[in-house]
Amino acid sequence: MTVAYRDPAADGVAVQPPSSGVGDTVADLALDIAAIRADFPILERTVRDGKPLIYLDSGATSQRPVGVIDAEQEYVTTSNAAVHRGAHQLSEEATDAFESARSRIAAFVGVTNPDELIFTKNATESINLVAYAFGNASFVPDTSSGRRFALGVGDEILVTEMEHHANLVPWQELCRRTGATLRWIPVGADFRLDLTDLDTLINDRTRVVAFTHQSNVLGTVNPVRRLVDAAHAVGALVVLDACQSVPHMPVDFYSLGVDFAAFSGHKMLGPSGIGCLYGRFELLSAMPPFITGGSMIEQVFIDHATYALPPARFEAGVPMTSQAVGLGAAADYLSHLGMDAVADWEHRLTALALQELSAVDGVRIIGPADTTDRGGAVSFVVDGVHAHDVGQILDDSGIAVRVGHHCAWPLHRTFGVQATVRASFAVYNTPDEVHALVAAVREAQRFFGTGS
C-alpha cells in the first residue's frame, strides 16, 4: 500500500486548519493527493468513449485502495476458513485476522473495548438490529432484558426529518408493532435541525432518539452532544447513524456519548457486504438477540437455548470474514492518512464546490451555503432541468454523481423538490474535478436551453 500521508514535521509543512478551501494550494496540505489517487486503480479508467472517470458519488459507495483489495486477496488465498469453530491452523489464522480487524476498526472510532463492535451486513442491518431488539423485548416483557428494551403504547421514538430511510423505516415499523408513537425534529429553512421545541419533543415518554450525524443529502452536521444530553436527561437511548461521518472526519463514539452507532464498510473505502454496530457493552449484554442460530449461542438444549455474550450474540452463523479483513485495512489506510487531514481536504473541496455552483444562475444548493458544520455532500437542483437529465449530461462527460431522492424522500418533500443532483466527495477527489462538475452543469443548462 502506498503511504500517501506526508509527515508535516518531516518536511517542515504544517497541517493547516480548515479554511475557505478556495485559493489554497497543494503546497500547504498534509496529504499527497497524487499518491492517494495512485492507490485507487479504478480512478485510472475511462468511461463513455474514453473520458476520464470523475467519481463524485462516494456518498453512495466509495472506491477501494489497493491495500484493501490486497488484504482481502491475501486472506482468501492464504488463511480462508471458518472463524471461531475450527481446530486447525487455518481456522486459528482466520480467527486472528477477524478479531484483529474488529479491534482496529473499533479503535478507529474511539472504542477501546472491541467487544462493543458487532459486524453486520451493512449499516441498515445494524439499525434494524437495534430496532428488532426493542421489538422482540416488547413481546417478552417478563424478562430483565425485555423490561430494559420493551416499548408499548405511550412510549415515543424521536427521529429527524432529514433521516435516510434506513434510519426511519425501522423505527416506523417498530412503532407499528409495539404501539409506540413516532415523532420527529423538523428541518428549518437553513437546512439545519429546528431545535426550538426540543424540550417538548424529548420528554419523559421518549425511549429512543435516532438521528444522523451528517445528512447524506444536505451535508449538515448535527449537534450530537446537545441531542445526546437531552435524550439521556430523560433516560432515552441514542442511536446514531454515522455512515456519512465516519469516512470523512475524526469520530469518537465515546466522546459523543451515544449508546449505539451504525456505519458501513463500503462508504469508508472498504468492501461492501459489511457494516458495524457500536453499542455500550452493558446495553448489548442486556439486549435480546436479532437473528438466532450458529455461533451466537452459549448452550443449547432440546427445548431452549442460552445466548453468548456480545459481540457473538449478534453474529449468528459464519460471519463475513474477508470483508472484515478488508474493512480493517480500510481503517488502517484512513488512519495512516489522518482523519484531520482527510476532513481538511474534503472541507476545501466542498467550499470550492459551494462557491462555484452558487455562482451559476439557475442552480440552487439544497443544503447549508457555507462549510460551517457541514460535510462534503453537495446536493443541488438546476431550474428547468430534471435531476435525471442533469445526471445524464454529467455521465456523458464522465462524471458520476447520484440523482434522485437519495433514500430521503420526506426531506425532499419538505423542500418541494422531487429529486436533486448530489456530488459527494472523498479524499481522492481534486479541485479540477470540481471545476469539471461545474462546467458540465453549465453544459446541461445550454443543452436544455436554460442557460447561456
Side-chain angles (χ1 to χ4, degrees):
M1 178 189 306
T2 301
V3 178
Y5 174 76
R6 191 176 72 236
D7 182 358
D11 60 11
V13 178
V15 178
Q16 300 298 309
S19 67
S20 68
V22 180
D24 295 329
T25 68
V26 294
D28 62 357
L29 297 174
L31 296 176
D32 184 339
I33 302 302
I36 289 173
R37 289 181 62 83
D39 286 337
F40 293 81
I42 199 170
L43 299 180
E44 296 297 318
R45 68 161 293 178
T46 59
V47 294
R48 303 301 183 198
D49 298 326
K51 298 182 179 65
L53 170 66
I54 297 177
Y55 190 78
L56 303 179
D57 195 20
S58 296
T61 198
S62 57
Q63 300 300 341
R64 305 177 201 177
V66 289
V68 170
I69 299 168
D70 289 348
E72 283 194 89
Q73 182 173 4
E74 173 71 12
Y75 168 78
V76 172
T77 55
T78 65
S79 303
N80 184 51
V83 301
H84 292 310
R85 59 190 67 192
H88 51 78
Q89 181 174 337
L90 284 189
S91 182
E92 291 177 1
E93 292 176 0
T95 301
D96 289 345
F98 183 69
E99 293 302 333
S100 172
R102 188 195 306 276
S103 297
R104 285 144 49 214
I105 297 164
F108 181 70
V109 289
V111 174
T112 58
N113 180 3
D115 289 343
E116 294 179 312
L117 191 90
I118 297 164
F119 287 126
T120 61
K121 290 199 299 293
N122 45 53
T124 300
E125 183 178 278
S126 296
I127 295 170
N128 271 274
L129 190 159
V130 180
Y132 269 87
F134 277 93
N136 291 344
S138 296
F139 297 112
V140 287
D142 56 333
T143 67
S144 58
S145 60
R147 284 191 295 274
R148 183 71 178 85
F149 289 92
L151 290 181
V153 175
D155 292 326
E156 294 182 357
I157 296 172
L158 182 66
V159 295
T160 83
E161 203 172 23
M162 66 171 65
E163 296 310 313
H164 186 284
H165 297 166
N167 196 34
L168 175 60
V169 179
W171 305 114
Q172 292 174 342
E173 284 297 303
L174 179 59
C175 288
R176 185 183 62 80
R177 295 197 304 272
T178 64
T181 300
L182 185 72
R183 304 188 75 182
W184 54 90
I185 303 172
V187 177
D190 61 351
F191 305 105
R192 301 187 185 279
L193 294 180
D194 180 353
L195 301 178
T196 306
D197 297 323
L198 185 63
D199 291 341
T200 301
L201 289 169
I202 297 182
N203 55 64
D204 291 341
R205 296 184 297 277
T206 308
R207 301 292 304 281
V208 180
V209 178
F211 61 96
T212 184
H213 193 175
Q214 177 174 304
S215 168
N216 71 313
V217 176
L218 308 175
T220 305
V221 176
N222 288 319
V224 178
R225 272 313 312 201
R226 182 177 176 185
L227 294 170
V228 167
D229 291 345
H232 287 173
V234 298
L237 297 176
V238 174
V239 181
L240 185 71
D241 175 358
C243 286
Q244 299 294 337
S245 58
V246 164
H248 304 292
M249 65 174 75
V251 173
D252 185 320
F253 291 144
Y254 286 173
S255 296
L256 292 174
V258 297
D259 300 296
F260 299 96
F263 58 100
S264 54
H266 70 101
K267 295 183 192 297
M268 57 173 284
L269 315 185
S272 57
I274 186 167
C276 296
L277 172 67
Y278 157 74
R280 288 199 288 119
F281 190 77
E282 62 270 30
L283 294 174
L284 293 175
S285 298
M287 202 163 76
F290 173 35
I291 297 173
T292 55
S295 54
M296 54 77 69
I297 54 91
E298 181 184 56
Q299 294 187 69
V300 176
F301 305 92
I302 193 61
D303 60 346
H304 72 282
T306 59
Y307 304 128
L309 290 172
R313 177 181 300 180
F314 303 102
E315 295 178 352
V318 176
M320 56 297 280
T321 312
S322 63
Q323 292 93 330
V325 170
L327 185 54
D332 293 343
Y333 184 86
L334 287 168
S335 296
H336 278 300
L337 297 181
M339 291 309 295
D340 284 321
V342 169
D344 179 36
W345 179 241
E346 294 184 21
H347 183 98
R348 296 169 191 240
L349 295 174
T350 304
L352 182 61
L354 290 172
Q355 176 176 297
E356 295 207 354
L357 285 170
S358 297
V360 180
D361 290 338
V363 171
R364 290 181 288 137
I365 305 293
I366 307 299
D370 61 40
T371 55
T372 304
D373 293 331
R374 195 195 198 292
V378 179
S379 298
F380 58 94
V381 295
V382 180
D383 291 339
V385 187
H386 195 281
H388 288 82
D389 292 328
V390 178
Q392 183 174 349
I393 296 295
L394 296 184
D395 183 48
D396 288 342
S397 301
I399 302 172
V401 295
R402 179 82 179 267
V403 295
H405 51 65
H406 317 309
C407 298
W409 215 333
L411 182 64
H412 279 71
R413 287 198 186 98
T414 295
F415 292 104
V417 293
Q418 289 185 324
T420 55
V421 181
R422 185 187 70 187
S424 52
F425 303 109
V427 67
Y428 39 69
N429 290 124
T430 69
D432 285 344
E433 292 178 324
V434 175
H435 299 321
L437 167 70
V438 177
V441 169
R442 291 183 183 277
E443 175 57 28
Q445 289 180 312
R446 283 192 290 271
F447 183 85
F448 287 100
T450 63
S452 58

